[in-house]
Amino acid sequence: MALGLIGYRPMAVFAKGSNRKLVAAKAQGKAVQHDDLYTSTALPISLLSQYHLSLFRFPGFMKEEESLYTSISQPQSVTLDSKTNNITHRVRKRVDAIPRLETFKKNMTKLDSHSRWVSPYSSVSLLSNRKMFPSFFRTVSSDKLQSMGMTQLVLSFGWTWIGLLATDNDYGLLGIQPIKQEIINAGACVAFTEYINLGQPDSNAPHIVRAIKESSAKVIVVFSLGAQFVPVVNEMLKQNITGRIFIGNAGWSKSLSLSVGKYFPILSGTLGLASNNYVIPGISQFLSKIRPSQSMGETWVNLYWENIFNCKFLYGKNLTGSLEAPVKECTGEERIDDIKNSSTYISTFKYSYSTYSAVMVLTKALDDLRSCKAGDGPFSHGTCADIWNIKPWQLIHYIRKVRLTLSGGKYIYFDKNGDPPAVYSILNWQLSAEGTLKQIVIGNYNSAALPDEALTINSSLLLWSMGVQQVPRSVCSESCPPGYRKAARSGHPVCCFDCVLCLQGEISNQTDSLNCNSCPWDQWPNPEKSRCLPKPIEFLSYEDTLGGTLATISVISSLIPVLILGLFILHRHTPVVKANNFSLSCLLLISLCFCFLCSLVFIGHPHHQTCLLRQVLFGLTFTLCISSILAKTILVVLAFMATRPGSNVRRWMHHQVSYMIIFICFLLQFILCITWLSLASPFPQYNTEIKPMIIIVECNEGSPIAFWTMLGYLFFLATISFIVAFLARRLPDTFNEAQFITFSMLAFLSVWVSFIPASLSAQGKYTVATEIFAILASSWALVICMFLSKCFIILLRPDMNSKEYIMRKERQ
């Protein structure tokens, strides 16, 4: 009696034809029936399932009979002799004689024929659908949970370009689909998806290997069984395709057929998930002691014997089928110790523990059902189920509530879909000392743990392909470093992209950044464009070489007019000084000194006060200078005109006239400057438009019209002085200044006309330096043209600076 237990053949999930039925049903929108999805094949539970009947303690059991069932639960202590067989026959006879137990057996048989309870083998994820399979439970993990574990394993190493390979049946299709979906949801990409065609002789291996060879993906997830994957590995070995990392499911991650040494170049470094090796305590010793001729359950033992020793019992009817070909005969004396390393024997423990788990789940459910106390039951009005007349929904309720720790440490419970928690070991395929591939446990995956703790890996134990310890890369495009952004390639997955350098003024400080971010206005990217740095501030400072040089020249130059002024004061009674209007010359020299010094206001950090003063001081000092020269020019003309007979011009030959001219010219410029400062005064500003990578601290003139009007007024005064001086250059006079004024105004106008295009083309501090250079150049032009010849006569030709020289020249 199997107690509602169902099973599947090892290494097979669906019965033949189930795939076609499932696909056809889905296409027609019909519900998939249980029998369409799987065909129940009752697995032998051996003696392990029968002893649990003792837990119910049915009335009429003799102590000797109950002791036998209890002893069977400890296989290592079972002694199968004639006495035991006699007791067994008596137990069976006694049990069959109990009417209530017969009723119980019929009810359980009825339950088992109408419902699917607990499966020890089926892992297909579709069985988790409670609408289609409301009464299905299993003691093996769902393939969906396994797929989730494989996906997390892939993503934990940063692989984003992954190939997928699966068998073309429901096992492979339903296993690979959630992996593909989770990979895409995580932002990674699928390079290719290929299927092992089980209907072709070569399993479509050449086509699959061609896809693997042509793809740049270095990591391939394989959801298959070991025997189905072998043709693909052989084809890769044939074409010498190496350097790939395979991620295997539990169906082949411990396959002995793939662990041979010749596959080392292909499969070394493989990672796989494998079910934990739980073993029923004492089962190894129990199996070592059983014999076909001695054990209870002779039929099951004989079947087991033929399976693990690959032989047949020839007496009577053969148990596993007719003998159409000569086979090895079973003697019953074969030694299990001789085959303990075979895959058939090892698989015994895997499947027997799963069966044992299913039996224990049902036993626990029935025991909880039997232990229910009236009034405290889980059903309506606190009622309990009748142990002798169990309804399917009642047993399902107790199965769903099972919480059980089995011998060996496995903890079983069911989630809302009837699935137990998935606990897998993570294996790494490495070369053993014997020259074969061995599977080393390097971590585990527990679906019931917290998301950050579900996957644990000991990287120190991990070896990749050909023994390399560095994690291989599997990407469609290499990561974009900081300073670049990802630009999608048209018609390619999102993992295939180009790296585009961030634009000017933008950065990306992360790897694989989708966008570049602009720096704040006062910051600028570093050369790698990975972070923003404070922009350097630029202005013409005294610490700057250019600023310091201009300041030095300005100070030294301002001393020249002072020296000339001192020289004129010392020789104020000489003809040269008297002939050139001593008072106007002194005023001109003082104004020239201020012209040189006003350039210092342009040097240094621009502040509100300096911005207000610099252009005003420049305009007023030069206006004073040019108006003084204009007054001197007019006085030269008036002096010549006063020498004519009957002329009334002599009355204009007063110092007040020259001062009046200077005052009026200066007043007009002063009014213009005051108006400028009142309506649109200059102010300091930070300019980042001329040079985006630096901050230029400059003075905004407030009103460009006012600035150019002020400069235009200076041009006007200089032009009038030039015209008047040019017309008076031929006047007969020993010390006629008209010629010198003409050259000085010509030089002045030339400098400032050149300044206009130069200032417009210069940027930053060089614009200020250009204006300072124009101030110094025009000031030096006035000093040289107006006073060089006079100083030459005073210092080097004193004979020319005498009344005798003047009188002699006039007589000549």
Side-chain angles (χ1 to χ4, degrees):
M1 182 170 57
L3 298 180
L5 177 70
I6 64 170
Y8 295 87
R9 287 193 186 95
M11 309 299 283
V13 178
F14 297 102
K16 184 177 180 181
S18 64
N19 185 22
R20 292 189 296 273
K21 293 180 181 179
L22 176 62
V23 174
K26 285 184 178 179
Q28 298 174 9
K30 298 179 180 179
V32 181
Q33 301 297 324
H34 293 76
D35 291 336
D36 290 338
L37 186 62
Y38 54 84
T39 301
S40 178
T41 304
L43 290 180
I45 316 175
S46 186
L47 303 177
L48 296 174
S49 63
Q50 298 186 25
Y51 83 93
H52 296 289
L53 290 174
S54 65
L55 296 176
F56 301 108
R57 309 194 183 282
F58 299 118
F61 269 34
M62 297 187 307
K63 290 184 178 179
E64 187 178 27
E65 297 163 345
E66 185 175 350
S67 176
L68 170 66
Y69 277 88
T70 303
S71 66
I72 294 176
S73 67
Q74 304 295 334
Q76 65 272 21
S77 63
V78 174
T79 302
L80 301 175
D81 52 16
S82 58
K83 180 181 179 181
T84 303
N85 287 329
N86 292 334
I87 294 175
T88 302
H89 289 306
R90 282 187 295 160
V91 170
R92 290 174 176 170
K93 184 176 181 181
R94 182 66 176 173
V95 168
D96 292 338
I98 302 175
R100 295 189 68 192
L101 182 58
E102 190 64 32
T103 303
F104 174 79
K105 289 169 61 178
K106 291 180 179 179
N107 287 334
M108 291 301 297
T109 303
K110 183 178 181 181
L111 285 174
D112 189 39
S113 63
H114 287 86
S115 303
R116 306 296 185 184
W117 299 122
V118 183
S119 168
Y121 300 132
S122 179
S123 60
V124 65
S125 58
L126 187 61
L127 294 173
S128 299
N129 189 329
R130 302 313 271 173
K131 292 182 179 179
M132 299 174 63
F133 309 101
S135 62
F136 183 83
F137 299 86
R138 50 182 156 199
T139 56
V140 293
S141 302
S142 168
D143 283 339
K144 183 175 182 179
L145 297 178
Q146 181 181 194
S147 299
M148 297 290 289
M150 295 174 68
T151 304
Q152 288 195 33
L153 180 62
V154 169
L155 298 176
S156 66
F157 291 102
W159 295 322
T160 59
W161 191 233
I162 303 145
L164 301 180
L165 178 61
T167 51
D168 65 345
N169 56 12
D170 293 323
Y171 176 67
L173 294 175
L174 296 176
I176 206 68
Q177 186 59 35
I179 296 177
K180 183 176 182 178
Q181 190 61 45
E182 288 298 321
I183 287 175
I184 295 174
N185 292 342
C189 299
V190 175
F192 61 85
T193 303
E194 298 293 338
Y195 298 97
I196 301 173
N197 193 333
L198 303 180
Q200 295 183 6
D202 58 2
S203 299
N204 200 30
H207 171 75
I208 294 172
V209 174
R210 189 183 314 114
I212 295 174
K213 183 178 181 180
E214 294 175 354
S215 174
S216 59
K218 302 300 181 183
V219 176
I220 303 169
V221 177
V222 181
F223 207 98
S224 167
L225 301 179
Q228 298 163 351
F229 186 42
V230 167
V232 178
V233 179
N234 285 330
E235 186 66 23
M236 291 185 67
L237 189 65
K238 177 182 177 181
Q239 298 188 26
N240 193 27
I241 307 298
T242 59
R244 303 311 192 269
I245 299 298
F246 292 96
I247 309 298
N249 66 316
W252 68 273
S253 61
K254 298 177 72 174
S255 172
L256 295 179
S257 60
L258 290 170
S259 300
V260 294
K262 70 175 183 177
Y263 294 139
F264 171 72
I266 309 297
L267 298 178
S268 63
T270 291
L271 297 178
L273 267 60
S275 301
N276 288 332
N277 293 327
Y278 293 107
V279 178
I280 303 173
I283 191 172
S284 179
Q285 296 86 335
F286 173 76
L287 293 175
S288 298
K289 293 178 180 179
I290 62 172
R291 291 291 181 274
S293 60
Q294 299 176 347
S295 300
M296 182 177 62
E298 179 180 355
T299 301
W300 299 117
V301 173
N302 287 354
L303 284 173
Y304 173 72
W305 206 265
E306 290 184 344
N307 184 43
I308 65 170
F309 288 107
N310 194 25
C311 62
K312 303 293 181 184
F313 286 101
L314 301 182
Y315 58 87
K317 182 180 179 181
N318 186 270
L319 296 174
T320 57
S322 59
L323 296 175
E324 298 179 356
V327 294
K328 177 183 176 183
E329 181 182 358
C330 295
T331 64
E333 300 299 325
E334 290 84 1
R335 291 174 51 84
I336 291 183
D337 291 341
D338 297 336
I339 60 167
K340 280 189 174 181
N341 294 326
S342 68
S343 58
T344 305
Y345 180 76
I346 293 174
S347 65
T348 300
F349 301 105
K350 174 182 176 181
Y351 297 112
S352 62
Y353 193 87
S354 183
T355 304
Y356 162 75
S357 302
V359 172
M360 291 299 296
V361 166
L362 285 170
T363 303
K364 173 63 175 170
L366 290 172
D367 187 46
D368 291 343
L369 184 149
R370 181 191 64 84
S371 302
C372 178
K373 296 181 179 179
D376 294 332
F379 308 117
S380 60
H381 306 293
T383 58
C384 298
D386 184 4
I387 187 66
W388 306 107
N389 187 22
I390 303 173
K391 301 296 188 293
W393 57 271
Q394 294 173 329
L395 184 56
I396 290 175
H397 170 82
Y398 282 100
I399 294 176
R400 187 181 293 114
K401 298 295 183 181
V402 164
R403 296 290 188 274
L404 184 63
T405 301
L406 302 177
S407 57
K410 183 178 180 180
Y411 181 64
I412 290 183
Y413 65 91
F414 299 106
D415 62 14
K416 62 182 181 180
N417 298 320
D419 298 325
V423 180
Y424 292 99
S425 297
I426 301 175
L427 306 180
N428 180 220
W429 288 38
Q430 303 175 12
L431 186 65
S432 66
E434 294 78 17
T436 60
L437 286 168
K438 61 179 180 179
Q439 291 80 35
I440 305 298
V441 178
I442 62 169
N444 61 77
Y445 171 74
N446 186 353
S447 65
L450 296 175
D452 295 338
E453 300 175 359
L455 189 70
T456 57
I457 298 176
N458 186 353
S459 301
S460 61
L461 301 176
L462 213 165
L463 290 179
W464 299 104
S465 179
M466 307 303 289
V468 177
Q469 290 187 327
Q470 184 177 0
V471 179
R473 293 180 57 80
S474 183
V475 294
C476 180
S477 299
E478 291 296 330
S479 297
C480 293
Y484 291 80
R485 65 175 178 85
K486 297 192 331 184
R489 294 178 184 172
S490 178
H492 290 78
V494 294
C495 298
C496 301
F497 51 83
D498 295 317
C499 295
V500 179
L501 185 66
C502 290
L503 298 177
Q504 187 177 20
E506 296 182 340
I507 66 161
S508 64
N509 55 8
Q510 296 179 346
T511 302
D512 288 336
S513 178
L514 296 176
N515 299 295
C516 295
N517 301 316
S518 298
C519 288
W521 72 271
D522 60 344
Q523 295 183 2
W524 190 253
N526 61 346
E528 294 78 19
K529 295 190 176 184
S530 58
R531 60 191 182 103
C532 294
L533 301 176
K535 288 182 180 180
I537 298 177
E538 181 182 285
F539 59 89
L540 190 62
S541 66
Y542 290 101
E543 291 77 15
D544 187 68
T545 303
L546 180 59
T549 302
L550 292 175
T552 303
I553 295 174
S554 299
V555 173
I556 296 175
S557 299
S558 67
L559 298 176
I560 302 302
V562 175
L563 294 176
I564 296 175
L565 178 60
L567 182 64
F568 270 44
I569 292 174
L570 289 176
H571 298 84
R572 62 183 178 277
H573 301 296
T574 60
V576 172
V577 176
K578 288 182 177 181
N580 290 280
N581 198 325
F582 174 72
S583 60
L584 289 181
S585 296
C586 290
L587 182 61
L588 177 59
L589 288 170
I590 293 172
S591 63
L592 284 172
C593 179
F594 283 112
C595 286
F596 282 116
L597 292 177
C598 77
S599 62
L600 297 177
V601 187
F602 290 82
I603 303 174
H605 193 288
H607 298 290
H608 182 68
Q609 295 80 2
T610 56
C611 288
L612 290 175
L613 293 175
R614 59 168 57 176
Q615 298 297 352
V616 172
L617 288 177
F618 158 69
L620 293 177
T621 54
F622 269 88
T623 299
L624 182 62
C625 180
I626 300 301
S627 59
S628 298
I629 294 176
L630 178 60
K632 287 171 70 70
T633 307
I634 293 175
L635 285 179
V636 170
V637 175
L638 293 176
F640 175 76
M641 293 176 64
T643 59
R644 293 179 180 179
S647 176
N648 295 324
V649 180
R650 183 177 292 273
R651 62 182 178 177
W652 297 101
M653 296 293 296
H654 296 287
H655 294 295
Q656 290 81 0
V657 175
S658 60
Y659 294 147
M660 185 60 66
I661 294 172
I662 294 172
F663 176 74
I664 293 173
C665 295
F666 184 83
L667 180 62
L668 293 176
Q669 186 73 288
F670 180 77
I671 294 172
L672 178 61
C673 291
I674 292 300
T675 304
W676 180 12
L677 296 179
S678 301
L679 299 179
S681 61
F683 58 90
Q685 72 173 9
Y686 295 102
N687 190 332
T688 58
E689 295 180 359
I690 297 177
K691 295 181 179 180
M693 69 291 299
I694 63 175
I695 298 176
I696 299 175
V697 186
E698 62 183 7
C699 287
N700 188 311
E701 305 305 344
S703 173
I705 296 176
F707 171 73
W708 290 109
T709 301
M710 179 200 71
L711 196 60
Y713 181 72
L714 288 177
F715 289 169
F716 173 73
L717 294 179
T719 303
I720 293 179
S721 298
F722 171 74
I723 294 173
V724 174
F726 181 79
L727 295 176
R729 72 187 188 283
R730 299 293 185 182
L731 296 179
D733 193 352
T734 304
F735 300 108
N736 187 1
E737 284 188 300
Q739 293 182 355
F740 301 112
I741 293 174
T742 301
F743 284 114
S744 65
M745 291 299 99
L746 184 62
F748 180 86
L749 292 172
S750 300
V751 169
W752 286 104
V753 168
S754 302
F755 162 76
I756 295 174
S759 64
L760 294 177
S761 60
Q763 294 180 348
K765 65 180 180 179
Y766 296 103
T767 301
V768 180
T770 302
E771 187 170 356
I772 294 175
F773 180 80
I775 292 173
L776 295 177
S778 58
S779 299
W780 271 107
L782 296 177
V783 169
I784 293 173
C785 293
M786 294 295 295
F787 297 101
L788 181 61
S789 61
K790 298 177 179 64
C791 292
F792 175 78
I793 293 174
I794 294 172
L795 296 176
L796 300 179
R797 296 294 302 273
D799 57 308
M800 297 176 63
N801 192 17
S802 63
K803 289 183 180 181
E804 292 79 9
Y805 175 78
I806 295 174
M807 293 174 64
R808 186 169 57 253
K809 188 174 182 182
E810 287 179 352
R811 286 195 298 267
Q812 292 176 357

